[in-house]
């Protein structure tokens, strides 16, 4: 139970006090009425004695009486009506509410922190009023009158005669058979004569005279002179007199039914009748209504939310709420009156002294005398010892009468004893002893009476004796015996089941529960209180259940869930009893336990009840909040129940909005908005593809965000911005973001353009199982007008919040707002709404949220022929459904900051400004369309397409560029591109190349031309290769104008699917400070399949023919071409139509292949090999203009020449070369430390240059494809770069070869390795050697045995540095195979030479070979060693042996 202000001993003593009656004359009433009091009210605050009293028991022992209180009341001859008592108790509870601002008691139990009121003053007031209002009964004497005060005013003409009249009246009331009420304790009632003297009106001498006469007549202990009214008037003075009567008179007013001005009788009104099913409840809800929520009938469990007979959730519950709104409070505040206005503090002391005199000199002696008389009578009648007290043990030592169970006893509750019966005298003696705190003797008497009553089976009397015996045993000082709780249990069961008297059973339960609580037996107390709940009184059941809940929470181990459950039961019973505020309080306290613990159904029930009770009490905000919680939680209710919840919420919400229509729109709970998923798109609706036109993909809300792709677009934009700004990116550069979401960078304010729409995509989720209908859905915004480049004009922000109250489409001069008329959501559906704004002015726009009408889907009768899915007008909404208007704010939390130490140790979030765009002045707007753009290509295939650029804005467009990470994929052509067809129609059946028909004389002979890379966009630094200027006429595109430009495409060298990004960059002719440029994105998806694979090698020619001064060499180039196509694209065969070379130093001279068929055909899986002779460019050093230019040489293998030095062949060649060089730079771009003593880097350069060639080969082909029974001719080109002599080069691999599995090697990262010395292979190319001799030589061996042949050895220094050469002629072939094939000979003369050759020097050495007989000999035996000058001898390296030099020696 809750904490009480009184201890249990004080509570019991105050519940059973001596009763004193009052009879006043009319004059005496007038004297007290000056203070707005009657006599009993006047003395009531002073009825508790401040000093101890004493009396002697029958054994002549002194008995001390402490803190005694008496009850003084007027004589009422009619017992109170039970209905009046119920009404009074209900009013007592109703007016007692928790104090405002009272600090609740915090109880921590496990994971729960509960705020619970520690005290329950309404229960204490109920209990006190309950005990005071109990009518007197015949089976006990505790509330019978012991004495009667006869009060007469000193202003009476004959006071003594008036006393006589009052005495006779009292005697007539007590002893006449006309009056059965009130009850009197003993026949000889104490009469106490009080003379009331009004000091302000009557002379004191007269009062003293009358008082002296009274003392002579009634004795000094039987009368008293009370002087009051020391003040003559009620005019306030400086002295502040306390008012001790107010707290008592409030309860008295309730008891007298004076709270209402109409002065209704004691018959209770219908609004507070408990359990009267035929009359409505206070909250206006008909008990027979089956509502969606909790029906107010007695057969419904408090936790049952819906009635099984109403699955659809009718609108009856709403009708009850409508009735509740119209209920008016019948209570009116009573007029504030002042009590005791004529009394001073001395008068207060006189009244207090009067009560003490009456008690000590009149009442207690009378009780002591009565106890002795009763004791003597009982002893004489029983024939026992003189003192009943001393004979107690003897009585108890006898044989015990076995107590029978209640079930075995007969229903003898109607048995009555005569007043003089000994059993009643014992009970009367026990009650007298109990009233004066003589609990030992009282217990003995109660125990004796209990036995007698049980023997007689007088169960009502026996239950009363058991009850008081248990209380007396508990109150005995020193606790000689334990509290007999079973006495109380038997008494309660007897009262309730046998006697059918719930009032006495309730009194017994209240006493026992308080005793058990004091003994910390909370569980037993809770069980007792719960057992006392019944259907006959909702108020009593509610109070007892609440106290049981407090018992559970106040245990040593608090039982939190039991506390909450019983608080809900108590709240339900409070609601049935009409105590709406107490019901609401109970549910709110229980909510603390169930909230957020997964008890969703219980939580829904509590919130629903709180909402209903709050609505009934006109706490509309609390009602809306409670219903809101039901809707936003993850509800597990059925669809019908959720629909009922939603309709109740809408009705309550509508009432709230009607009370304050001018207030801002409140927040709606449904549907849920996933704020972080909100996307904002800046841009207009782009035109779709028309016919062969394919629109640029750009950005749309239908595309998923890709972080890596976004970074690629950003890098492309930075690349083109850097080119525009001459290599530097501006500090205030802001990457263009057309679509903002949770993954984009939203720290900056986004930029939008005036007169271009802004689309906000809001993600709604319907958490309910019932459909929702949103109407008139639009965005809320606030706009601050601002003209960029001018001073601020200080205009006030403009918002559409006021217009949002109107359910209509609205458009103004600042921002046009699109309204979605209907937006339906199915049950548990997540749906996206795209809302559009169109700004008409520049400034700052802030998107605040969404506004809409929330409603239920209307119920449309399909039989009537109407469409159930549609809503026809607003009127239909009102009839079939219910809707309310509200808003939801879009509050987006920014990313968590994690940069500084402070941010890492705390949780801080940065801003997210995606909903706060800045509206900038007009900008050009570009649309791009691709014509004849392929989706599939062969690797290396060349295709010509066209691009259409359209300026759809009203602003001049300039500075058009395109950027891509794959510049080798496309080209817009160079200055030479004007020779190719300029329109899609003209180029439909033409080659993408520039071609010339050739004659037969040019067969296998190279046709050369000189080209500068600058003509094809290749600058000296090659930094802007990925950024290409688009050649617009006059470099501008007028508003509304369009232009078509050719675009050449080349299939990537690797097969598969390729995504190639184009970023079109353009600017406005009028520079705008906020937005410097705009971009348009396009992603082309190309699927490539395999075509040809090219391998090439180059080697030196050993001959020195056709060389000027022998310094320029020849090369042999071998080109191996394989058809690796697998007929996937319908390719029948490939034709190698031309092979071209491109280099600054070398060029093809002719084709050496001895072939009659010039056109090389390759079908699937076939391979061909071509051999070409390459020479150095003769005019490289002739003219200064040739420096840095490339020589293109075309070897024609077909009927027409493809001019490789023009667009598109040269474009793709240069882009391909740049791409391979950039990749090589990335892989070999490190530098290292080289020791000074060994200049390895210089040596390496010299040596590498000897074997470098830098020759590029372009293989041009045609493929014949059969498609739809038509033969198409495809054309393309492949590139091979030859860099080193003897090293095979490949075209880029067109398929990913399966990599072999190798063991994983863990290598510790160290410093980059030092450049190694040149390899032996590289050093072996320093010197080129050649032997000049006659192929056959005739010699007459018969005449001359030795044959000497002159041989010239030519040495050529291939390096750019001096070389030391050693020629050793002593080397001989020692291989047996060689000796068998070639004969042996010898060199004559000097056999070892040491020479020093300068850079590029050619030296001739004359040798002599000596033969002794005819035969075939190999002269290639000299070994040549070379090293760079000034290098150590250890660096000498054997040079590559020349080819076999065979000579035939003939004998003649």
């Amino acid at each position: 139970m809750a904490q009480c202000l009184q201890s249990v001993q004080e509570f019991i003593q105050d519940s059973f006090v001596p009763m004193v009656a009052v009879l006043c004359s009319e004059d005496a009433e007038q004297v007290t009425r000056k203070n707005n009091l009657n006599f009993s009210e006047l003395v009531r605050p002073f009825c508790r004695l401040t000093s101890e009293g004493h009396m002697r028991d029958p054994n002549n022992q002194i008995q001390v009486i402490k803190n005694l209180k008496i009850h003084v009341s007027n004589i009422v001859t009619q017992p109170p009506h039970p209905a009046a008592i119920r009404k009074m108790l209900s009013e007592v509870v109703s007016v007692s509410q928790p104090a405002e601002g009272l600090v609740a008691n915090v109880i921590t139990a496990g994971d729960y922190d509960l705020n619970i009121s520690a005290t329950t003053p309404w229960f204490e007031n109920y209990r006190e009023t309950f005990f005071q209002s109990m009518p007197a009964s015949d089976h006990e004497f505790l509330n019978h009158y012991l004495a009667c005060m006869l009060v007469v005013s000193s202003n009476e003409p004959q006071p003594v005669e008036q006393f006589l009249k009052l005495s006779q009246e009292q005697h007539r009331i007590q002893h006449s058979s006309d009056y059965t009420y009130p009850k009197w304790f003993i026949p000889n009632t104490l009469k106490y004569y009080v003379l009331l003297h009004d000091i302000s009106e009557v002379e004191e001498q007269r009062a003293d005279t009358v008082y002296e006469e009274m003392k002579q007549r009634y004795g000094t202990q039987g009368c008293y002179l009370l002087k009051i009214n020391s003040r003559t008037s009620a005019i306030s003075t400086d002295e502040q007199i306390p008012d001790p009567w107010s707290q008592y008179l409030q309860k008295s007013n309730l008891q007298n039914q004076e709270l209402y001005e109409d002065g209704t009788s004691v018959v209770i009104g219908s609004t507070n009748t408990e359990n009267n099913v035929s009359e409505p409840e206070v909250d206006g809800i008909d008990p027979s209504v089956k509502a969606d929520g909790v029906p107010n009938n007695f057969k419904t469990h408090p936790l049952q939310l819906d009635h099984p007979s109403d699955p659809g959730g009718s609108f009856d519950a709403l009708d009850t709420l409508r009735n509740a709104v119209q209920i008016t409070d019948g209570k009116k505040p009573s007029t504030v009156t002042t009590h005791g206005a004529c009394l001073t503090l001395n008068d207060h002391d006189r009244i207090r002294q009067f009560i003490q005199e009456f008690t000590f000199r009149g009442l207690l002696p009378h009780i002591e005398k009565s106890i002795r008389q009763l004791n003597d009578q009982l002893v004489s009648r029983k024939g026992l010892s003189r003192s009943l007290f001393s004979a107690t043990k003897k009585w108890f030592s006898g044989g015990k009468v076995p107590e029978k169970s209640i079930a075995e006893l007969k229903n003898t509750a109607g048995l009555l004893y005569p007043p003089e019966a000994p059993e009643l005298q014992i009970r009367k003696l026990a009650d007298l002893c109990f009233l004066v705190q003589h609990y030992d003797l009282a217990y003995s008497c109660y125990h004796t009476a209990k036995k007698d009553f049980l023997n007689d089976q007088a169960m009502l009397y026996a239950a009363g004796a058991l009850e008081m015996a248990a209380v007396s045993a508990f109150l005995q000082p020193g606790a000689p015996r334990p509290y007999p709780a079973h006495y109380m249990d038997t008494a309660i069961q007897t009262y309730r089941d046998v006697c059918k008297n719930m009032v006495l059973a309730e009194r017994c339960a209240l006493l026992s529960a308080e005793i058990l609580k004091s003994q910390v037996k909370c569980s037993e107390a809770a069980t007792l209180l719960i057992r006392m709940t019944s259907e006959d009184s909702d108020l009593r059941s509610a109070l007892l259940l609440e106290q049981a809940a407090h018992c559970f929470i106040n245990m040593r181990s608090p039982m939190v869930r039991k506390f909450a459950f019983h608080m809900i039961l108590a709240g339900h019973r409070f609601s049935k009893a009409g105590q709406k505020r107490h019901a609401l309080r109970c549910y709110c306290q229980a909510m603390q336990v169930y909230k957020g613990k997964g008890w969703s159904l219980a939580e829904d029930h509590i919130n629903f009840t709180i909402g209903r009770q709050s609505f009934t009490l006109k706490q509309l905000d609390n009602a809306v909040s409670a219903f809101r919680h039901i809707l936003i939680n993850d509800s597990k209710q059925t669809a019908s129940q959720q629909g009922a919840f939603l309709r109740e919420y809408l009705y309550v919400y509508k009432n709230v909005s009607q009370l304050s229509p001018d207030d801002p729109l409140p927040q709606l709970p449904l549907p849920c908005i996933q704020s972080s998923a909100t996307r904002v798109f800046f841009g207009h609706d782009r035109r779709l593809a028309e016919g062969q036109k394919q629109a640029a993909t750009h950005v749309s809300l239908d595309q998923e965000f890709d972080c890596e792709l976004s970074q690629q677009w950003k890098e492309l934009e930075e690349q083109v911005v850097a080119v525009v700004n001459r290599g530097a990116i501006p500090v205030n550069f802001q990457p263009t973001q057309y679509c903002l979401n949770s993954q984009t960078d939203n720290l900056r304010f986004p930029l939008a353009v005036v007169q271009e729409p802004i689309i906000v995509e809001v993600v709604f989720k319907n958490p309910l199982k019932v459909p929702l209908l949103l109407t008139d859905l639009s965005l809320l915004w606030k706009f601050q007008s601002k003209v960029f480049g001018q001073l601020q004009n200080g205009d006030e922000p403009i918002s559409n919040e006021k217009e949002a109250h109107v359910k209509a489409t609205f458009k103004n001069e600042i921002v046009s707002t699109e309204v979605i008329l209907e937006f339906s959501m199915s049950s548990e559906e997540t749906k996206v709404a795209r809302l559009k704004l169109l700004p008409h002015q520049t400034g700052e726009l802030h998107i605040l949220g969404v506004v809409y009408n929330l409603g239920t889907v209307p119920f449309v009768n399909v039989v009537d022929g109407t469409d159930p899915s549609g809503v026809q007008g607003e009127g239909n909404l009102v009839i079939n459904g219910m809707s309310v208007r509200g808003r939801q704010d879009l509050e987006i939390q920014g990313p968590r900051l994690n940069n500084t130490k402070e941010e890492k140790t705390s949780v801080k979030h940065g801003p997210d400004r995606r909903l706060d765009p800045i509206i900038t002045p007009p900008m050009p707007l570009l649309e791009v369309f691709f014509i004849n753009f392929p989706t599939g290509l062969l690797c290396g295939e060349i295709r010509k397409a066209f691009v259409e650029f359209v300026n759809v804005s009203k602003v001049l467009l300039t500075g058009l560029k395109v950027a891509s990470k794959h510049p080798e994929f496309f080209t817009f052509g160079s200055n030479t591109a004007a020779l190719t067809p300029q329109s899609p129609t003209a180029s439909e059946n033409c080659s993408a190349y520039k071609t010339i028909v050739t004659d037969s004389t040019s067969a296998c002979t190279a046709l050369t031309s000189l080209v500068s890379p600058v003509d094809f966009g290749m600058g000296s630094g090659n930094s802007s290769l990925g950024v290409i200027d688009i050649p617009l006429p006059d470099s501008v595109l007028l508003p509304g104008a369009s232009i078509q430009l050719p675009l050449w495409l080349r299939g990537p060298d690797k097969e598969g699917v390729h995504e190639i990004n184009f970023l079109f960059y353009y600017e406005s002719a009028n520079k705008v400070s906020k937005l410097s440029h705009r971009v348009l994105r396009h992603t082309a998806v190309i699927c490539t399949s395999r075509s040809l694979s090219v391998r090439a090698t180059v080697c030196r020619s050993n001959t020195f023919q056709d060389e000027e001064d022998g310094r320029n060499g020849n090369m042999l180039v071998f080109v191996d071409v394989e058809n690796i196509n697998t007929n996937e694209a319908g390719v029948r065969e490939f034709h190698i139509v031309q092979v071209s070379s491109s280099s600054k130093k070398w060029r093809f001279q002719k084709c050496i292949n001895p072939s009659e068929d010039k056109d090389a055909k390759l079908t699937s899986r076939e391979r061909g090999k071509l051999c070409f002779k390459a020479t150095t460019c003769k005019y490289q050093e002739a003219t200064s203009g040739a420096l840095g230019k490339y020589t293109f040489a075309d070897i024609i293998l077909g009927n027409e020449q493809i001019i490789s030095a023009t667009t598109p062949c040269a474009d793709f060649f240069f882009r391909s070369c740049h791409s391979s060089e950039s990749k090589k730079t990335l892989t070999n771009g490190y530098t290292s430390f080289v020791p000074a003593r060994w200049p390895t880097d210089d040596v390496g350069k010299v040596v590498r240059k000897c074997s470098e060639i830098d020759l590029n080969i372009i293989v041009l082909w045609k493929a014949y494809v059969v498609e739809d029974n038509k033969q198409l001719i495809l054309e393309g080109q492949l590139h091979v770069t030859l860099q080193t002599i003897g090293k095979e080069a490949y075209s880029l691999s067109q398929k990913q070869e399966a990599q072999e599995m190798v063991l994983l090697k863990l290598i510790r990262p160290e410093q980059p390795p030092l450049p190694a010395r040149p390899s032996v292979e590289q050093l072996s190319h320093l010197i080129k050697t050649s032997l000049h001799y006659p192929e056959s030589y005739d010699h007459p061996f018969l005449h001359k045995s030795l044959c000497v042949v002159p041989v010239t050895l030519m040495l050529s220094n291939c390096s750019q540095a001096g070389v030391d050469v050693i020629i050793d002629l002593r080397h001989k072939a020692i291989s047996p195979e060689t000796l068998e094939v070639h004969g042996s000979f010898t060199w004559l003369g000097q056999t070892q030479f040491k020479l020093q050759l300068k850079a590029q020097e050619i030296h001739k050495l004359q040798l002599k070979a000596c033969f002794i007989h005819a035969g075939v000999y190999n002269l290639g035996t000299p070994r040549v060693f070379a090293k760079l000058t000034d290098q150590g001898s250890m660096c000498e390296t054997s040079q590559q042996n020349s080819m076999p030099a065979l000579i035939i020696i003939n004998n003649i």
Side-chain angles (χ1 to χ4, degrees), residues 1152-1167:
I1152 306 177
N1153 278 35
S1155 174
E1156 296 180 359
D1157 188 5
K1158 298 181 295 181
D1159 195 356
K1161 299 179 181 179
L1162 295 175
T1163 58
S1164 179
R1165 309 304 295 174
E1166 285 188 343
R1167 179 183 296 182

Side-chain angles (χ1 to χ4, degrees), residues 986-1052:
S987 64
E988 185 173 355
N989 297 316
C990 297
S991 172
Y993 293 106
K994 178 185 176 183
T995 59
I996 298 177
V997 178
T998 59
D999 54 6
S1000 58
T1001 58
S1002 62
C1004 299
T1005 304
L1007 302 177
T1008 62
S1009 56
L1010 197 64
V1011 171
S1012 174
V1014 180
D1015 296 336
F1016 296 90
M1018 298 294 108
S1020 57
N1022 289 338
S1023 59
S1024 60
L1025 176 65
V1027 180
I1028 301 170
D1029 288 327
I1030 297 178
L1032 292 176
D1034 300 327
S1035 299
V1036 296
L1037 191 60
L1038 298 177
S1042 64
I1043 187 173
Q1044 290 185 352
L1045 297 178
L1047 173 71
W1048 287 269
L1049 307 172
R1050 179 178 179 270

Side-chain angles (χ1 to χ4, degrees), residues 483 485 513 515-526 551:
Y483 167 66
I515 294 172
L516 291 172
K517 185 191 78 171
S518 68
Q519 296 178 341
V520 201
K521 297 180 179 179
C522 296
S523 178
E524 292 83 349
C551 289

Side-chain angles (χ1 to χ4, degrees), residues 180-377:
T180 59
Y181 198 85
K183 305 291 184 181
W184 302 88
F185 208 102
I186 53 178
N188 186 17
T189 301
L190 171 65
K191 297 176 182 177
Y192 197 74
Y193 301 88
V194 180
L195 181 64
L196 191 61
H197 176 58
D198 189 345
I199 299 177
S200 63
E201 292 185 359
V202 184
E203 296 180 357
E204 190 171 351
Q205 183 179 359
R206 170 175 170 77
D208 293 338
T209 305
V210 175
Y211 182 56
E212 288 298 329
E213 184 179 355
M214 290 171 58
K215 287 194 290 186
Q216 293 178 4
R217 180 182 292 269
Y218 306 119
T220 56
Q221 296 184 352
C223 59
Y224 193 83
L225 173 60
L226 177 59
K227 299 177 181 180
I228 61 172
N229 295 347
S230 298
R231 290 198 289 185
T232 56
S233 67
I235 300 175
S236 61
T237 60
D238 295 337
E239 184 181 8
Q240 295 293 330
I241 305 299
D243 181 8
W245 295 275
S246 58
Q247 56 178 329
Y248 297 97
L249 293 180
Q250 288 177 2
K251 302 171 184 176
S252 177
N253 287 337
L254 289 175
Q255 295 177 16
N256 297 332
Q257 304 299 323
E258 294 175 359
L259 189 62
Y260 298 96
E261 289 183 354
D262 54 3
T264 54
S265 64
V266 296
V267 179
I268 193 164
S270 63
T271 56
N272 280 321
T273 303
E274 292 187 6
N275 307 320
N276 188 357
V277 182
S278 63
E279 298 185 8
E281 294 283 344
V282 175
D283 60 357
I285 298 178
D286 189 352
S288 63
V289 170
K290 299 175 182 178
D292 296 317
V294 182
N296 281 346
N297 55 51
F298 306 139
K299 298 181 180 180
T300 305
H301 193 273
L303 288 184
Q304 183 175 341
L305 288 176
D306 51 353
H307 200 280
S309 64
D310 186 25
S314 65
F315 282 90
D316 294 341
L318 303 183
D319 297 334
T320 61
L321 289 176
R322 294 188 185 99
N323 296 334
V325 175
Q326 301 170 359
I327 291 181
T328 57
D329 195 350
K331 300 178 183 179
K332 299 179 181 179
S334 58
T335 305
V336 178
T337 57
T338 304
H339 305 102
C342 297
L343 301 178
T344 63
L345 291 178
N346 290 332
D347 292 334
H348 293 188
D349 293 337
R350 292 190 188 100
I351 298 173
R352 189 177 292 107
Q353 182 64 31
F354 157 67
I355 294 297
Q356 278 198 307
E357 287 292 326
F358 164 73
T359 305
F360 292 156
R361 303 184 63 180
L363 183 60
L364 289 182
H366 175 70
I367 294 176
E368 181 181 344
K369 178 181 176 183
S370 300
I371 289 175
R372 288 182 179 275
Q373 289 177 354
L374 288 172
N375 185 60
D376 292 343
Q377 290 177 12

